[in-house]
Amino acid sequence: MASKKSGKQAESLLSKWSVGDEKPVTIDKWDGNAVKNALDDAVRKVLTEHLKFVENHRVIDTRLAICTIACLFAVAALIYDYYIPFPTSRPVLILCVLSYFLLMGVLTMFTAFKEQNFIVFANEKDKAGMGPDHLWSVRSSLKRYDDIYELILSYEDGETKRKEEQSLKKSVASWFDENGVLLFDIFLNDIKEMHKGLKKEKAQ
């Protein structure tokens, strides 16, 4: 009897997660990477679909641009060497190789210091439509062999550049049932509470 009741409750909690024919998110609850990816995707869904923020791809686009330029140097070296074989192509090959490794170094620094463990950046449009967008960002972590998921929600005011943060640490068991199904409504409420907390701090 208890199992039937819990099953109905889980189905009710998942109603907002399902859109059309989309199935509820179900993962192997013993797979740490799958658990973290599911929660990270849920955070993005909350910000963009429930809070109506616009996802900002600037950081990802910058990383892709660095990778693309590095690959272009590698392709240029191959093409040039094909038409003008070594050793005539030596100066160009040296330039391309050095440029490639330089860009890989830049990418490593960018990932370590700028991208870090952020999972999403989003813009909140000014309600009056006159001021600059407010920037929201989220970073998360889930250590290996640990059940504690840490989430940090950050807010930056578009005008004053004032920054505020709210953090959350909880066991992943709080958001998944025994079958590995994500209980999205519970997770949604937790994120909304963090959002409300930041809004209160902003108003002060």
Side-chain angles (χ1 to χ4, degrees):
M1 184 73 178
S3 62
K4 288 184 179 179
K5 186 177 180 180
S6 63
K8 289 181 179 179
Q9 184 179 9
E11 185 177 356
S12 174
L13 289 169
L14 288 163
S15 61
K16 289 186 179 180
W17 176 260
S18 301
V19 179
D21 296 329
E22 184 181 349
K23 295 181 180 179
V25 174
T26 306
I27 49 91
D28 177 3
K29 60 183 181 180
W30 304 112
D31 185 346
N33 288 330
V35 170
K36 185 178 184 303
N37 289 337
L39 292 175
D40 289 351
D41 288 342
V43 172
R44 181 177 287 104
K45 185 180 181 71
V46 172
L47 262 62
T48 58
E49 296 187 16
H50 291 266
L51 297 178
K52 305 301 181 182
F53 296 162
V54 179
E55 187 168 359
N56 187 327
H57 300 282
R58 183 174 54 191
V59 173
I60 296 175
D61 290 344
T62 301
R63 172 162 52 86
L64 290 175
I66 296 172
C67 293
T68 301
I69 296 171
C71 289
L72 289 175
F73 274 110
V75 171
L78 290 172
I79 295 175
Y80 191 85
D81 188 63
Y82 178 80
Y83 288 104
I84 305 176
F86 189 85
T88 308
S89 62
R90 183 177 177 180
V92 175
L93 292 179
I94 292 175
L95 175 63
C96 290
V97 169
L98 290 177
S99 299
Y100 177 84
F101 282 106
L102 176 63
L103 286 169
M104 288 298 101
V106 171
L107 179 63
T108 301
M109 298 291 286
F110 180 82
T111 303
F113 296 104
K114 179 63 178 178
E115 193 170 14
Q116 299 178 10
N117 57 345
F118 284 98
I119 57 175
V120 62
F121 296 88
N123 292 343
E124 178 187 8
K125 300 295 183 181
D126 181 64
K127 292 183 179 179
M130 302 293 291
D133 295 348
H134 307 303
L135 179 62
W136 293 82
S137 59
V138 184
R139 57 187 189 273
S140 68
S141 65
L142 178 63
K143 295 180 180 179
R144 194 175 185 183
Y145 306 125
D146 195 358
D147 69 318
I148 302 300
Y149 180 77
E150 181 178 10
L151 192 69
I152 300 175
L153 179 64
S154 303
Y155 168 83
E156 180 180 328
D157 188 274
E159 289 187 15
T160 65
K161 302 301 178 183
R162 179 183 175 186
K163 296 182 180 180
E164 302 289 348
E165 282 188 353
Q166 283 277 333
S167 62
L168 170 70
K169 284 186 178 181
K170 254 188 176 183
S171 169
V172 295
S174 305
W175 303 305
F176 291 93
D177 67 9
E178 64 276 8
N179 297 316
V181 178
L182 177 61
L183 305 177
F184 182 70
D185 278 6
I186 297 176
F187 188 72
L188 173 63
N189 288 334
D190 286 339
I191 302 300
K192 282 189 173 181
E193 285 300 315
M194 295 176 70
H195 175 254
K196 287 179 182 178
L198 281 175
K199 283 293 187 181
K200 288 180 182 179
E201 291 182 12
K202 176 192 172 185
Q204 292 176 354

